[in-house]
Amino acid sequence: MKRLRRHGQESQRDRIKQELFQFNKAMEHGFPHQPSALGYSASLQLLAIGTRSGAIKLYGAPGVEFMGLHDENAAVTQVHFLPYQAGLVTLLDDNSLHMWTLRAHKGLSELLEIGRFTLTGPPGAPPSVTRVTAVLPHSSGELLLLGTEGGHVFIVEVPGFREVEERNISLDQVASSVPDDYIGRRNLEHVEALQENPVDPDQVVIGYGRGLMIIWDLEKRCAMQHIPATQQLESVWWTDDGSYILSSHSDGSYCQWIVGREDVNEEEEKSDIPYGHFPCKAISKIVQLPTKEGPPFLLFSGGMPRASYGDRHCITVIHSKTHVALDFTSRIIDFFVIKDGPQNTGDPSALVVLVEEELVVIDLQTAGWPIIQTPYLVPLHSSAITCSHHISAIPLKLWERIVATGDLQNTHYSKKPWPITGGQNLAPDPPQRDLLLTGHEDGTVRFWDASGVCLYPMYKLSTAAVFQTDTDPNDNMNQSTEGEWPPFRKVGCFDPYSDDPRLGIQKIHLCKYSGYLTVAGTAGQILVLELNDETAEQTVEAKVVDLLQGQEGFRWKGHTRLDVREDPVLFPPGFQPFALVQCQPPAVVTALTLHSEWKLVAFGTSHGFGLYDYQQKNNVLIKCTLNPSDQLAMEGPLSRVKSIKKSLRQSFRRIRRSRVSLRKHHVNNAAKLQDANARLEAELAEMELAPVQRKIEARSSDDSFTGLVRTLYFADTFLSDSSHNTPSLWAGTNGGCVFAYMLRVPSIEHRTEEAVTAQPAKEIQLMHRAPVVGIVVLDGHGAPLPEPLEVAHDLSRSPDMHGSHHLLVISEEQFKVFTLPKVSSKMKLKLTAMDGSRVRRVGVAWFGSSRTEDYGESGLMVLTNQGDVHVVSLPTVKMQVHYNCIRREDVSGIASCVFTKHGQGFYLISPSEFERFSLSTCNLVEPHCLIEAPLQSGTSTQHRPQPSRARNARQESEDAESAARRVMEHALLNDEKVLQEIQKSLEADQT
């Protein structure tokens, strides 16, 4: 009976776990790492980006996002949408072509790879014959033209990737149509460009590397015109009316050629070197677009004078008398122009530029050509991310104030709406307002709307104004010198260079109820800020805290502190600093917490911790935790390389001493030798060169950085006796020590007059001396204590103060529960007994049931150095679930992870991208979107070229059985509605 009862309880618990926990890697936020290709569909209004890692990402209207990943570990070199279809083709640098489609499934679209293809040449042919260098999707939507390194053009049917050999254009065919004197002087080289005639789909221009361009008729299978340019060809553009072809070249020139003239000689119709007369860089791409009234837009990338501005990344825009060289922050990948009106037939409205580190969209219809703010693909790494902080369920009032403050910073952006509007966002509205705060190397804190699919920028706070740095507050990226040539204009926000690395933000804590914010930096600075809707001019005085407390024999070898500005500083609306604490020595702040109800801030470094009263601007507590052997703690982060070398030297010296001792005592038996090898393995394990299997063991008290403060925690609990609760501060160190201080906080009436005091109450030394990474106090019901002011705002029930409280101490190696106030051990859970895991991040979260709204449980989210995430039950401290989340080799990803209060998490998968994951069945943010493929029946012939003349005899005589087979192929790619339209179209063709 007991066995059956136990089995029934286990089954019930398993059902509850299924209702509470589910692991999902929902989506990615930020800018794709190392983009390599750009594509755009005017009919779908979708943008596509390929990366060097083989990822393909599609974006439409805000919230419409898709992602795919090629199986091959190869870079995406080209992306092309099929005209008027929900499909695209990618070319990888391994010369493989891949077909993707957006297929409807259960009312939502999904991106699927449905085919792959590699050109195969004749037996014995060199690889260059079939190495694809140019891709042109024909406007019929049925053909791909593939130009190769060998100079051939292959024609392939899509979506089946069937090569139409009889229609291929060989190099010999082209050479026979070109005058002998041109062929004799130079080799044609590879196919550099392919472009279709906008008014005649049977004609394409083939551009060869050496400069020759051939207009080829696909139906007649012959050359119609040859254009014998003499310079190395970079790109080709056929004007919308079909009358001119523009070519750009490696010497920084571009040429305009008349189409249809048979007497074109080597003297171009029109040639220009925009930034001559000195040698210029190549113009890699050129575009000319007409306007309904007035002259056309001319846009080209590159062409800068090589000696003076060869390192600039520019796109030149010329329209009427306006000439601007847009100077971007990183290398240009590609660009395209969006036009107004249906079917993309109106005037140019926006220039979309993909550079290596960001996406920039420029409004071409507003005076001054301002930038349009991007709702996604924002470069999170405009300055390197140094820390993150997530806050769930932001009150509406605070949210609106942050939004209003951010709007004041965005007045330089265009008022035009986002021009890429493809697809429908079907995701439900977020259930709450969430903020993600990121600290950066340049001393800024950025606020992001993390409520939904798009990680949207809201507001940027800069702390550099408080300190004296080399930056010029009047510096403006958009300023240009009058009369400068080329007429540069800086665009983009990517700026990886920091004026002073000491400004870097290391810790952030925001109280969502009071609006107080505290940030701490690399040079021991702690700022306390409050939200102000008005501009304010004030002086911020630094309160210096000596964490060494007069200890002798220590000399700080790291960086100096930042100098505070003595003159008043004008702070814009937003979070404005009113208090500053400066730690001495100015080491990196390693722990930070804020209690806005008590008006206290606690901070810790590698030397100790302190408590600051930001209402009275007084120090309440200073505790030095420095161990006499912690010499590395005196070197600072800028001496970290020396520290690692010293640590390695010390480790190998200890190993050498142990071996010498063995030789001295002539210990030759196998058991002693095995013991020595075990000690050697333990030394290597402590160096953390790789995750290893080991058991929990006591660490030496003279290990380095034992005094480093890892965690700080405020709690109103029982410390002196079980009948009187009192405010308290808890601190955990790298050496496995926990300090507890009783705080006396005056009542609100006397808070401004009486001082806050602190006195030591408890000190716990863990036997295994593992670093303490988290502290949680559980109330009488076993629930974690609520956040400050949470009960006052009626967002949480009051904690149970009648039952006994418990202290949960989380070290890198185990979870241990102590009773309060006696601090006696009650239970523990060992994490590292077998697999060598160590706790790296912990966070308390609420997991709601997917079946019953009224039920939920608090749990402890845990991330280990192996990249696994666990959920540990509270207060029983039992392992509930665990999942593989981050690759254990991804050390930076593990270090960057941040948990939310509702079972989600973020971590950096690259310097510019967050991966978002969820452990909760009730809190999952992921795209829900639908793409409707453009229908042939709904498209006018004037905007969509008809493919009938381009079809060969075999296609025209296709029988009904083949037509039915083609319908079935399309059915796999589209939903039922599209299938019906295709069937009607085929029946009409057969009739």
Side-chain angles (χ1 to χ4, degrees):
M1 289 296 294
K2 289 183 179 179
R3 185 178 300 173
L4 290 173
R5 190 180 300 114
R6 188 182 304 114
H7 178 72
Q9 292 173 349
E10 291 175 354
S11 299
Q12 183 181 5
R13 186 60 202 166
D14 289 340
R15 286 195 298 272
I16 293 176
K17 287 181 183 179
Q18 293 176 1
E19 295 175 13
L20 298 178
F21 311 115
Q22 180 181 353
F23 179 72
N24 283 286
K25 280 195 174 180
M27 59 179 308
E28 297 171 1
H29 296 295
F31 184 78
H33 185 49
Q34 295 182 327
S36 54
L38 175 68
Y40 178 68
S41 170
S43 58
L44 294 176
Q45 282 282 298
L46 289 181
L47 163 80
I49 295 178
T51 71
R52 292 188 204 171
S53 61
I56 179 76
K57 299 189 176 186
L58 274 59
Y59 301 90
V64 177
E65 299 183 12
F66 301 92
M67 191 185 81
L69 186 64
H70 295 87
D71 294 334
E72 295 80 0
N73 186 20
V76 180
T77 58
Q78 294 188 44
V79 178
H80 299 275
F81 282 90
L82 299 180
Y84 304 96
Q85 297 182 37
L88 65 155
V89 174
T90 56
L91 173 66
L92 306 189
D93 65 357
D94 65 356
N95 204 43
S96 61
L97 288 157
H98 300 255
M99 176 66 68
W100 298 81
T101 185
L102 287 163
R103 187 178 69 180
H105 178 66
K106 295 183 178 179
L108 299 176
S109 297
E110 54 186 2
L111 181 63
L112 297 174
E113 182 181 0
I114 59 170
R116 62 188 65 190
F117 171 73
T118 303
L119 274 177
T120 56
S128 63
V129 172
T130 56
R131 180 77 184 175
V132 179
T133 55
V135 179
L136 173 64
H138 192 262
S139 59
S140 65
E142 299 174 356
L143 300 176
L144 275 184
L145 278 69
L146 307 176
T148 67
E149 197 173 292
H152 306 283
V153 178
F154 295 84
I155 298 181
V156 175
E157 285 184 340
V158 288
F161 281 133
R162 190 185 74 85
E163 183 181 342
V164 188
E165 296 183 10
E166 63 272 16
R167 304 190 66 183
N168 289 344
I169 307 169
S170 69
L171 191 60
D172 293 338
Q173 288 177 283
V174 172
S176 63
S177 64
V178 179
D180 293 338
D181 58 339
Y182 190 92
I183 294 295
R185 282 186 290 161
R186 56 178 63 81
N187 178 24
L188 297 183
E189 288 192 356
H190 62 280
V191 176
E192 182 66 47
L194 291 168
Q195 193 85 7
E196 183 180 330
N197 188 336
V199 297
D200 186 352
D202 285 334
Q203 291 185 1
V204 295
V205 60
I206 307 169
Y208 292 91
R210 280 294 177 90
L212 175 69
M213 289 166 280
I214 293 289
I215 297 179
W216 188 267
D217 191 295
L218 295 175
E219 186 180 19
K220 298 177 182 177
R221 303 180 195 176
C222 65
M224 304 297 293
Q225 180 181 348
H226 74 276
I227 302 172
T230 57
Q231 291 294 332
Q232 191 82 15
L233 186 68
E234 293 290 329
S235 74
V236 167
W237 180 262
W238 208 323
T239 58
D240 282 14
D241 59 3
S243 58
Y244 292 96
I245 287 176
L246 274 69
S247 62
S248 66
H249 302 274
S250 61
D251 63 345
S253 67
Y254 72 88
C255 310
Q256 179 174 290
W257 312 85
I258 297 177
V259 176
R261 282 184 53 176
E262 298 298 334
D263 58 343
V264 175
N265 53 35
E266 293 188 8
E267 294 299 323
E268 303 90 338
E269 290 290 321
K270 179 183 176 184
S271 178
D272 189 16
I273 304 179
Y275 299 113
H277 304 282
F278 298 103
C280 294
K281 298 193 73 174
I283 294 180
S284 57
K285 182 175 181 177
I286 189 166
V287 171
Q288 181 174 296
L289 296 170
T291 58
K292 292 182 180 178
E293 299 178 2
F297 273 87
L298 179 67
L299 307 95
F300 58 86
S301 58
M304 288 293 117
R306 188 177 297 275
S308 304
Y309 304 108
D311 59 342
R312 301 286 186 103
H313 313 287
C314 295
I315 290 180
T316 298
V317 184
I318 302 173
H319 177 61
S320 187
K321 296 181 180 180
T322 307
H323 183 141
V324 175
L326 302 171
D327 189 3
F328 292 88
T329 57
S330 53
R331 185 175 65 89
I332 296 168
I333 305 297
D334 201 355
F335 70 91
F336 62 85
V337 177
I338 298 176
K339 299 180 186 178
D340 274 340
Q343 304 301 325
N344 211 38
T345 56
D347 285 352
S349 62
L351 168 63
V352 181
V353 184
L354 176 67
V355 297
E356 270 191 328
E357 305 294 350
E358 60 184 317
L359 182 81
V360 181
V361 180
I362 296 168
D363 179 3
L364 296 177
Q365 294 185 341
T366 302
W369 295 340
I371 292 176
I372 301 175
Q373 187 172 21
T374 54
Y376 45 72
L377 291 172
V378 183
L380 307 176
H381 64 317
S382 53
S383 175
I385 295 176
T386 49
C387 66
S388 304
H389 178 62
H390 187 275
I391 311 99
S392 301
I394 303 293
L396 178 60
K397 185 176 181 180
L398 176 63
W399 185 269
E400 290 176 341
R401 292 180 68 190
I402 294 175
V403 169
T405 302
D407 289 343
L408 295 176
Q409 296 180 332
N410 298 333
T411 54
H412 62 285
Y413 286 116
S414 170
K415 304 300 181 185
K416 285 287 184 71
W418 181 243
I420 301 172
T421 57
Q424 302 175 47
N425 178 16
L426 303 180
D429 292 334
Q432 59 191 25
R433 294 168 292 274
D434 290 351
L435 273 179
L436 180 67
L437 275 59
T438 54
H440 297 263
E441 191 180 41
D442 62 355
T444 58
V445 178
R446 286 170 167 82
F447 289 62
W448 307 90
D449 179 357
S451 312
V453 173
C454 294
L455 193 64
Y456 188 77
M458 297 178 64
Y459 165 69
K460 183 176 80 170
L461 162 69
S462 177
T463 62
V466 180
F467 306 101
Q468 293 180 358
T469 60
D470 295 333
T471 182
D472 182 5
N474 296 319
D475 185 26
N476 186 349
M477 285 187 67
N478 293 326
Q479 288 179 348
S480 59
T481 306
E482 189 72 25
E484 181 183 26
W485 186 262
F488 290 118
R489 174 188 153 198
K490 286 279 188 182
V491 288
C493 62
F494 177 70
D495 183 14
Y497 306 108
S498 173
D499 296 306
D500 195 328
R502 297 174 296 173
L503 289 170
I505 305 298
Q506 298 297 328
K507 296 292 176 182
I508 306 171
H509 193 110
L510 172 67
C511 175
K512 61 186 178 183
Y513 304 111
S514 64
Y516 284 109
L517 169 70
T518 179
V519 298
T522 303
Q525 72 272 24
I526 299 102
L527 282 165
V528 186
L529 310 96
E530 62 180 339
L531 189 57
N532 189 350
D533 299 327
E534 304 293 334
T535 302
E537 187 176 23
Q538 58 195 35
T539 303
V540 182
E541 296 182 2
K543 188 75 173 181
V544 178
V545 175
D546 182 12
L547 291 175
L548 293 182
Q549 290 291 285
Q551 290 206 32
E552 298 180 357
F554 293 98
R555 185 170 62 88
W556 173 248
K557 303 175 185 177
H559 49 254
T560 59
R561 55 177 280 191
L562 285 162
D563 295 325
V564 181
R565 292 184 185 271
E566 297 178 356
D567 299 330
V569 179
L570 186 66
F571 294 103
F575 283 95
Q576 299 171 351
F578 65 91
L580 169 62
V581 179
Q582 178 62 58
C583 296
Q584 282 293 101
V588 174
V589 177
T590 57
L592 182 71
T593 189
L594 169 75
H595 200 295
S596 52
E597 188 174 359
W598 300 339
K599 304 291 193 293
L600 298 174
V601 170
F603 52 89
T605 71
S606 54
H607 307 118
F609 59 92
L611 183 62
Y612 179 73
D613 179 352
Y614 62 80
Q615 183 169 10
Q616 296 190 6
K617 298 186 178 180
N618 287 327
N619 294 326
V620 177
L621 166 67
I622 302 172
K623 170 66 176 177
C624 179
T625 57
L626 195 64
N627 190 296
S629 63
D630 281 356
Q631 290 299 324
L632 294 184
M634 304 308 295
E635 297 186 2
L638 303 184
S639 303
R640 190 58 49 85
V641 175
K642 296 179 182 177
S643 303
I644 294 172
K645 290 180 178 178
K646 184 176 179 181
S647 177
L648 290 171
R649 282 198 301 270
Q650 289 175 346
S651 298
F652 284 113
R653 281 173 184 168
R654 286 198 293 267
I655 297 169
R656 195 180 300 116
R657 282 199 298 270
S658 70
R659 289 176 173 172
V660 170
S661 177
L662 286 173
R663 287 198 296 269
K664 282 182 178 179
H665 291 87
H666 304 286
V667 180
N668 296 319
N669 60 70
K672 292 291 181 71
L673 183 60
Q674 186 177 0
D675 184 55
N677 289 333
R679 286 203 300 274
L680 173 60
E681 291 176 6
E683 288 287 345
L684 294 176
E686 287 303 314
M687 289 157 59
E688 281 195 284
L689 298 180
V692 295
Q693 291 188 354
R694 63 184 185 85
K695 294 187 178 182
I696 296 176
E697 59 182 31
R699 305 187 186 195
S700 171
S701 61
D702 45 342
D703 281 352
S704 298
F705 288 111
T706 56
L708 185 145
V709 179
R710 293 285 292 270
T711 184
L712 292 162
Y713 181 73
F714 285 113
D716 188 354
T717 186
F718 302 95
L719 275 180
S720 57
D721 57 64
S722 57
S723 57
H724 297 90
N725 58 297
T726 178
S728 62
L729 172 66
W730 301 76
T733 71
N734 220 36
C737 191
V738 178
F739 300 93
Y741 281 80
M742 291 177 56
L743 305 178
R744 180 192 163 277
V745 181
S747 61
I748 298 176
E749 295 80 10
H750 303 94
R751 183 64 180 82
T752 57
E753 305 162 2
E754 300 180 11
V756 178
T757 59
Q759 63 181 41
K762 307 288 182 183
E763 184 173 335
I764 306 169
Q765 178 62 63
L766 301 180
M767 295 297 293
H768 57 294
R769 299 182 181 275
V772 177
V773 297
I775 297 172
V776 179
V777 172
L778 308 175
D779 68 7
H781 291 305
L785 296 183
E787 296 180 15
L789 296 176
E790 191 173 8
V791 176
H793 284 74
D794 296 326
L795 296 172
S796 175
R797 64 176 179 81
S798 299
D800 181 15
M801 291 297 183
H802 300 292
S804 60
H805 285 196
H806 292 85
L807 171 70
L808 172 60
V809 177
I810 305 110
S811 74
E812 282 191 353
E813 300 178 344
Q814 68 179 14
F815 307 84
K816 198 164 186 177
V817 179
F818 299 88
T819 60
L820 289 176
K822 293 184 178 180
V823 193
S824 57
S825 178
K826 182 177 181 181
M827 66 181 80
K828 63 182 176 182
L829 171 66
K830 295 181 180 180
L831 180 71
T832 64
M834 292 305 294
D835 64 355
S837 296
R838 294 183 181 182
V839 177
R840 285 289 179 260
R841 286 284 184 275
V842 293
V844 175
W846 175 259
F847 296 92
S849 171
S850 59
R851 295 186 181 180
T852 308
E853 292 185 3
D854 299 334
Y855 183 76
E857 294 182 4
S858 288
L860 197 67
M861 298 176 68
V862 180
L863 174 69
T864 72
N865 64 332
Q866 309 280 1
D868 299 331
V869 287
H870 305 253
V871 178
V872 177
S873 64
L874 294 175
T876 56
V877 194
K878 292 182 178 178
M879 196 68 69
Q880 298 298 299
V881 290
H882 75 276
Y883 307 97
N884 297 323
C885 182
I886 310 174
R887 292 181 302 106
R888 65 180 185 180
E889 298 85 9
D890 187 4
V891 178
S892 60
I894 293 172
S896 65
C897 183
V898 58
F899 292 128
T900 78
K901 297 289 185 183
H902 293 86
Q904 297 187 51
F906 297 80
Y907 70 94
L908 288 172
I909 55 174
S910 75
S912 58
E913 292 172 288
F914 275 112
E915 176 92 64
R916 186 174 193 150
F917 64 91
S918 174
L919 302 178
S920 171
T921 56
C922 293
N923 285 280
L924 177 63
V925 176
E926 60 181 350
H928 290 81
C929 34
L930 177 64
I931 303 294
E932 293 184 357
L935 304 180
Q936 181 176 356
S937 59
T939 306
S940 67
T941 56
Q942 122 181 21
H943 295 309
R944 180 175 180 178
Q946 298 303 308
S948 57
R949 288 203 304 158
R951 291 174 181 164
N952 57 22
R954 181 191 59 79
Q955 290 173 314
E956 291 177 352
S957 62
E958 188 178 30
D959 57 14
E961 185 176 332
S962 299
R965 203 162 44 241
R966 222 173 72 200
V967 168
M968 293 305 296
E969 288 176 357
H970 280 284
L972 295 174
L973 309 182
N974 300 284
D975 55 17
E976 294 181 359
K977 182 179 177 182
V978 177
L979 173 60
Q980 293 172 2
E981 294 291 337
I982 293 175
Q983 287 175 332
K984 291 178 182 178
S985 176
L986 287 172
E987 289 171 2
D989 287 346
Q990 290 171 6
T991 303

